[in-house]
Amino acid sequence: MSLLDDVARRDSWRCWVCDEPVDADMSVNDPRGPSVDSRTADKKAKVAERLAHRACNTRKGAVKVVIAWPDRLHVVEPAPLITVAERLERKGGRELVARCPSRKDAQEAADWLVDRFSRLVPGLPVTASVEAGGGQYLVALATGRR
């Protein structure tokens, strides 16, 4: 149980898949209870284990997880965030992740992305920028070279 407690404290008791709080008092057998997700398939991952709800961890199984963009954000063609996270973690650099109709929408998306990536890939310093282009606004994520 100490591994679960250590991972959960590090991840601030939030599920890395759905980004919802995990109840520390819930049974580990309950679908909303805590579980440790191991990233053994990803040998280059900096963090070997992450906290997940039991149901989120079971549901993903051997299938690649899809991190949903919130419905409240107005984004067009949002990038698959797990793929972006893996590339930024492996190679660093900069990636365009979404297009937005207004600067306000793009800034909201950028703010959400920086917050979400702080839990999705702990320890990877990510910044977001908003750039005008082609009558829309582009949101980019960047991190230093690895």
Side-chain angles (χ1 to χ4, degrees):
M1 194 66 159
S2 65
L3 173 64
L4 173 63
D5 290 337
D6 293 343
V7 170
R9 272 194 298 278
R10 185 203 63 218
D11 293 350
S12 302
W13 287 96
R14 291 188 79 84
C15 176
W16 82 270
V17 177
C18 69
D19 203 34
E20 295 293 322
V22 176
D23 186 346
D25 298 324
M26 187 93 42
S27 166
V28 295
N29 296 317
D30 187 283
R32 299 291 292 168
S35 72
V36 174
D37 176 32
S38 297
R39 294 174 71 181
T40 54
D42 186 357
K43 303 292 187 217
K44 295 180 182 177
K46 303 290 186 242
V47 178
E49 300 90 16
R50 299 178 285 193
L51 182 68
H53 290 111
R54 168 75 49 209
C56 292
N57 201 355
T58 301
R59 184 174 47 248
K60 77 173 191 55
V63 178
K64 194 151 199 121
V65 173
V66 174
I67 301 296
W69 288 68
D71 292 336
R72 64 181 170 77
L73 296 176
H74 300 276
V75 295
V76 179
E77 297 178 359
L81 296 180
I82 292 293
T83 303
V84 170
E86 289 170 349
R87 269 195 300 260
L88 288 175
E89 189 175 29
R90 189 174 62 251
K91 299 187 322 185
R94 178 176 175 273
E95 285 210 29
L96 294 176
V97 294
R99 295 183 295 131
C100 297
S102 73
R103 181 173 292 281
K104 180 179 180 276
D105 292 333
Q107 191 58 58
E108 286 176 6
D111 293 343
W112 176 79
L113 284 163
V114 170
D115 178 60
R116 184 65 176 100
F117 267 67
S118 72
R119 290 182 301 284
L120 184 60
V121 191
L124 182 69
V126 174
T127 59
S129 61
V130 173
E131 303 163 13
Q136 57 195 348
Y137 295 87
L138 306 173
V139 180
L141 287 179
T143 188
R145 292 278 174 209
R146 303 295 285 172

